[in-house]
């Protein structure tokens, strides 16, 4: 478990960059089908209290399962309050990078204040269907308790794939519940990612009973065409 003092002592001298997209737009949202399930509202920048998350070892469990290490570039999609960002920064070290992406202006402003002094962190303004990350630039991606809030999951996954380096990992941490209760049933998650060509490589039950599902993104040329993607039925929500 990382202590706050360790996080602060590992601050690098260069300032974080101002929030903005890092790549040109990908495929537009209207090119994709809407998910056949509810989409939860964005209600808070964090899942629960950081001290409690540290107590149960959430970050360490995720970082270990995803084999995140020094020198890697890791993107936190929907970074929110920055809980993962400030812990990823010392983990990837001065030769690594952390891309803190979000779409909510207030969260982006708060992130910029929080990561000031962490020279290996860049705050990124994305779009709900497109993280706007540079091509072939990312080794690992985390989406933490926010997948159920993505209004256009097929578009986001499609536009995320070109940013991944070969063998890159995409980790989705969520509750095993229906989207309207801020979770995603694992079967629904697997179906939606498979619809865009992602391959599951790992599944882990977390200390608090949530889960981490890990996927490998398809090569850009192996992605299905947007108009061939079919939404998945959310049987759990229907019940």
């Amino acid at each position: 478990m990382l202590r706050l003092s360790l996080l602060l002592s590992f601050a690098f001298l260069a300032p974080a960059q101002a929030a903005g997209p890092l790549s040109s737009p990908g495929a537009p949202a209207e090119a994709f089908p809407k998910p056949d399930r509810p989409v939860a509202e964005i209600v808070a920048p964090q899942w629960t209290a950081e001290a409690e998350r540290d107590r149960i070892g959430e970050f360490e469990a995720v970082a270990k399962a995803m084999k995140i290490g020094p020198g890697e570039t890791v993107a936190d999609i929907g970074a929110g309050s920055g809980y993962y960002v400030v812990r990823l920064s010392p983990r990837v070290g001065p030769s690594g990078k952390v891309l803190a992406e979000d779409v909510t202006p207030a969260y982006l402003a708060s992130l910029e204040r929080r990561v000031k002094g962490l020279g290996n962190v860049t705050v990124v303004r994305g779009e709900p269907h497109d993280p706007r990350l540079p091509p072939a630039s990312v080794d690992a991606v985390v989406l933490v308790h926010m997948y159920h809030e993505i209004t256009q999951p097929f578009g986001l996954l499609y536009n995320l794939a070109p940013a991944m380096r070969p063998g890159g990992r995409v980790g989705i941490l969520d509750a095993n519940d229906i989207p309207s209760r801020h979770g995603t049933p694992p079967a629904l998650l697997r179906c939606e990612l498979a619809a865009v060509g992602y391959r599951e490589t790992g599944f882990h039950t977390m200390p608090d009973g949530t889960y981490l599902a890990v996927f490998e993104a398809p090569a850009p040329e192996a992605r299905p065409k947007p108009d061939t993607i079919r939404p998945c039925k959310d049987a759990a929500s229907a019940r």
Side-chain angles (χ1 to χ4, degrees), residues 216-227:
E216 182 177 336
E221 64 274 12
R223 294 172 297 174
K225 294 181 179 179
D227 61 1

Side-chain angles (χ1 to χ4, degrees), residues 2 7 10 12 59 62-63 66 68-70 72-77 82-93 96-100 118 120-121 140-142 144:
L2 293 176
L7 296 173
F10 217 97
F12 304 105
F59 171 78
V62 170
M66 293 191 64
I68 295 172
E72 292 197 307
T73 294
V74 183
D76 184 358
I77 305 298
Y83 173 79
Y84 272 73
V85 173
V86 298
R87 289 159 178 79
L88 285 167
S89 175
R91 191 169 189 101
V92 302
K97 296 179 181 179
V98 180
L99 305 178
L118 297 178
N120 64 347
V121 176
V141 169
V142 293
V144 179

Side-chain angles (χ1 to χ4, degrees), residues 28-128:
E30 57 269 22
F32 301 90
K34 294 181 179 180
D36 187 15
R37 58 169 172 84
V39 175
E41 294 183 8
I42 300 175
V43 295
Q46 62 181 6
W47 167 245
T48 189
E50 294 195 6
E52 175 62 18
R53 298 169 82 172
D54 282 343
R55 186 188 69 78
I56 65 173
E58 176 189 320
F59 171 78
E60 285 298 321
V62 170
K64 181 179 179 181
M66 293 191 64
K67 301 178 181 178
I68 295 172
E72 292 197 307
T73 294
V74 183
D76 184 358
I77 305 298
S81 67
Y83 173 79
Y84 272 73
V85 173
V86 298
R87 289 159 178 79
L88 285 167
S89 175
R91 191 169 189 101
V92 302
S95 62
K97 296 179 181 179
V98 180
L99 305 178
E101 188 268 3
D102 212 292
V103 301
T104 304
Y107 298 173
L108 290 166
S110 178
L111 278 168
E112 288 187 314
R113 291 191 295 270
R114 184 168 189 181
V115 305
K116 186 177 181 180
L118 297 178
N120 64 347
V121 176
T122 300
V123 179
V124 184
R125 186 179 74 250
E127 300 178 62

Side-chain angles (χ1 to χ4, degrees), residues 115-205:
V115 305
K116 186 177 181 180
L118 297 178
N120 64 347
V121 176
T122 300
V123 179
V124 184
R125 186 179 74 250
E127 300 178 62
H129 71 289
D130 187 350
R132 302 290 296 274
L133 301 178
S137 65
V138 180
D139 298 295
V141 169
V142 293
L143 298 90
V144 179
H145 292 297
M146 55 75 68
Y147 183 84
H148 50 269
E149 299 172 347
I150 301 172
T151 57
Q152 182 38 267
F154 305 113
L156 185 138
L157 293 168
Y158 184 93
N159 289 320
L160 173 63
M164 302 302 299
R165 291 173 177 154
R169 298 89 70 201
V170 177
I172 299 177
L173 182 67
D174 215 339
N176 185 357
D177 209 336
I178 61 177
S180 59
R181 291 202 291 261
H182 291 271
T184 309
L188 174 62
L189 181 76
R190 291 177 174 124
C191 182
E192 291 191 346
L193 273 88
V196 193
Y198 284 69
R199 181 176 66 89
E200 185 176 0
T201 60
F203 188 88
H204 310 267
T205 300

